[in-house]
Amino acid sequence: MEIRHHIIHQLADGRFHSGEELAEQCGISRAAVWKHIQALKDGLQMEIHSVRGKGYRLERALELLAEEEILAAMTVQGRDRLRLLDLHHEIDSTNGYLLRQSVNGGASGHACIAERQTAGRGRRGRRWISPYGSNIYLSILWRFPSGPAQLGGLSLAAGLSVVRSLGKLGLEGIGLKWPNDVLWKGRKLAGLLLEVAGEVDGPSRVVLGLGLNVALRARDGEEIDQPWADLREVSGGQELSRNQLAGQLLSGLLDSLARYEQEGLAPWVADWSHYDLYHGKPVTLSMGDRKIEGVHRGIDASGALLLERQGEISTYHGGEVSLRPAAP
Ligand code: BTN
């Protein structure tokens, strides 16, 4: 794989590189370069053009993830809270990786980011489409002294942290759908997956994973089973630096984890409601085969969903919310 990564680094500038040049740089034959290029096209689904007499070129220049640039984009406090940053070209799942680390003594504040996931996981057993070099796949391991039951509101705090970080970049119209979907114009822009393990009375450990669509190709988007958006569209075609984004999101999320550990959800509730896109709307809450209809009345202090039905408000801790079309 090393040679392939080397080739990707050469091609990342979006210019032509001859087979001869790549062969020399990698210390392999031109025929071997050709084979690696085919593997990048077939295995990683990279769009590589080859033109006789000119060589190989990526369809679009790529900003590859770089540790120094991510660290440079972080706040001082964020860097303080970060114990270790693992950067992978390719991994099954950044969440899966940190869960494995967590049983082997992985430190609180260990983060992992990847260019591509081969088995990216979404909530409710879904897949998270994770093509190479185009989005952000980021996970953080955090250890809490309390038991898992105290962590019910953490995913809401994390969602809010992502929306705030994106807001600071001047991106507008991004909001939340309970518990932690990040949406733009009703379409999914980012998702969070929290995987929690531990003793009932503590301690517990959480792997918090964020998937953010930055610039998805239409053909990758076709594999997503729900309406989606990416930051390129939100920003009106502007190319955003993934390293900058990763650094800022990482700082924000590390801050949320540390703050949640001290104060729980309380400091987040009012602001969460401010970004709640479904507040006051008719919704359906799906829990397995059960469907409950009501009006979305926001969240309570623990982060549970409040649904109004026949004038009464009930709280719900799980399930999936969808908007109900207004009655004709
Ligand atoms: C969702 O379904 O809304 C949650 C998606 C979470 C995806 C991210 S990508 C980084 C991390 N690693 C994974 O395998 N999943 C999460």
Side-chain angles (χ1 to χ4, degrees):
M1 203 60 188
E2 273 316 301
I3 290 185
R4 266 170 231 174
H5 295 150
H6 194 76
I7 295 178
I8 294 174
H9 275 277
Q10 298 303 316
L11 295 180
D13 60 9
R15 303 217 183 101
F16 273 110
H17 294 264
S18 70
E20 209 167 356
E21 174 195 333
L22 293 172
E24 202 179 295
Q25 276 157 355
C26 299
I28 54 176
S29 67
R30 277 169 57 191
V33 167
W34 184 85
K35 273 196 195 145
H36 283 296
I37 295 275
Q38 297 315 307
L40 291 175
K41 283 171 143 177
D42 299 340
L44 300 192
Q45 267 95 52
M46 296 187 86
E47 300 279 356
I48 304 176
H49 301 295
S50 41
V51 175
R52 198 181 286 269
K54 285 189 166 178
Y56 304 103
R57 175 174 80 77
L58 278 184
E59 188 190 34
R60 281 195 299 127
L62 267 186
E63 184 211 14
L64 294 170
L65 295 170
E67 186 173 344
E68 321 78 70
E69 288 181 42
I70 296 174
L71 293 175
M74 290 182 72
T75 59
V76 174
Q77 215 171 34
R79 276 196 298 266
D80 260 11
R81 292 190 168 121
L82 181 72
R83 283 290 146 273
L84 187 64
L85 177 59
D86 264 331
L87 215 150
H88 295 268
H89 269 279
E90 181 172 288
I91 198 150
D92 53 348
S93 146
T94 53
N95 264 36
Y97 172 77
L98 284 184
L99 280 171
R100 294 193 292 274
Q101 297 296 314
S102 78
V103 282
N104 296 323
S108 195
H110 184 170
C112 171
I113 180 159
E115 292 285 10
R116 173 179 192 243
Q117 296 184 116
T118 52
R121 335 211 253 243
R123 284 175 39 226
R124 305 181 179 281
R126 291 196 179 113
R127 272 195 321 145
W128 189 258
I129 303 298
S130 310
Y132 190 94
S134 41
N135 299 319
I136 286 190
Y137 319 115
L138 164 68
S139 299
I140 305 172
L141 166 64
W142 199 263
R143 295 183 182 277
F144 287 88
S146 54
Q150 309 299 310
L151 304 179
L154 179 60
S155 80
L156 283 87
L160 181 53
S161 157
V162 171
V163 172
R164 281 179 181 165
S165 295
L166 296 175
K168 281 188 200 152
L169 294 166
L171 299 165
E172 287 171 6
I174 299 171
L176 291 161
K177 183 182 95 163
W178 186 86
N180 60 15
D181 278 351
V182 177
L183 304 184
W184 182 74
K185 295 199 172 168
R187 290 181 267 142
K188 185 132 166 182
L189 180 65
L192 286 141
L193 175 69
L194 276 81
E195 298 187 78
V196 182
E199 308 299 322
V200 178
D201 297 323
S204 46
R205 49 185 197 274
V206 175
V207 173
L208 183 164
L210 165 70
L212 168 67
N213 298 333
V214 180
L216 264 179
R217 292 178 306 188
R219 74 181 229 205
D220 294 317
E222 275 165 21
E223 291 189 54
I224 302 181
D225 59 1
Q226 55 187 320
W228 59 271
D230 62 13
L231 285 184
R232 189 172 40 192
E233 189 183 357
V234 176
S235 67
Q238 215 182 306
E239 289 286 338
L240 292 158
S241 155
R242 284 191 308 138
N243 286 307
Q244 285 273 338
L245 279 165
Q248 294 183 9
L249 289 161
L250 197 49
S251 293
L253 288 169
L254 284 162
D255 189 55
S256 316
L257 287 158
R259 190 150 186 221
Y260 190 93
E261 183 177 333
Q262 298 300 321
E263 303 174 56
L265 188 66
W268 309 84
V269 175
D271 206 21
W272 201 95
S273 301
H274 175 74
Y275 288 102
D276 183 353
L277 296 169
Y278 285 14
H279 201 286
K281 304 231 159 94
V283 294
T284 302
L285 179 69
S286 309
M287 301 168 92
D289 290 340
R290 232 176 114 206
K291 298 216 182 301
I292 304 158
E293 297 195 338
V295 177
H296 193 310
R297 294 292 177 211
I299 56 168
D300 72 3
S302 71
L305 172 73
L306 299 174
L307 262 198
E308 184 183 329
R309 308 174 68 218
Q310 284 127 23
E312 270 188 31
I313 294 189
S314 317
T315 51
Y316 296 90
H317 293 271
E320 186 146 34
V321 174
S322 54
L323 268 188
R324 259 184 304 131

